[in-house]
Amino acid sequence: MVWVLSRTIDNVIKPLVMRGKVKVHPLLIALGLLGGSIWLGPAGFIVGPLIIALMLSMVRTYQKEFI
């Protein structure tokens, strides 16, 4: 029960804290945290949002250069 509670709090608090520091929609950060944690476990809390930020950076660079 404690594990579920701490995981839920972490998935809610982290997007709120990270919201002002990165230009990514909070829902994407939450999906990155959730998907990364399901995929890689505890390391997914870092890797999931990192993959999303990298993908968004690539899309923005593509838009600047080619569109």
Side-chain angles (χ1 to χ4, degrees), residues 2-66:
V2 173
W3 178 77
V4 172
L5 181 62
S6 67
R7 198 136 178 170
T8 303
I9 290 172
D10 192 43
N11 285 337
V12 171
I13 298 295
K14 255 189 191 172
L16 293 176
V17 170
M18 293 175 67
R19 178 177 51 188
K21 296 186 179 25
V22 293
K23 294 180 181 175
V24 179
H25 194 277
L27 182 61
L28 280 177
I29 294 174
L31 288 174
L33 288 170
L34 184 62
S37 65
I38 290 171
W39 181 43
L40 292 173
F45 284 112
I46 296 171
V47 176
L50 187 63
I51 290 173
I52 288 178
L54 180 62
M55 180 208 52
L56 287 175
S57 175
M58 289 172 29
V59 167
R60 289 174 183 156
T61 301
Y62 177 79
Q63 288 176 342
K64 272 185 173 179
E65 295 293 325
F66 299 108

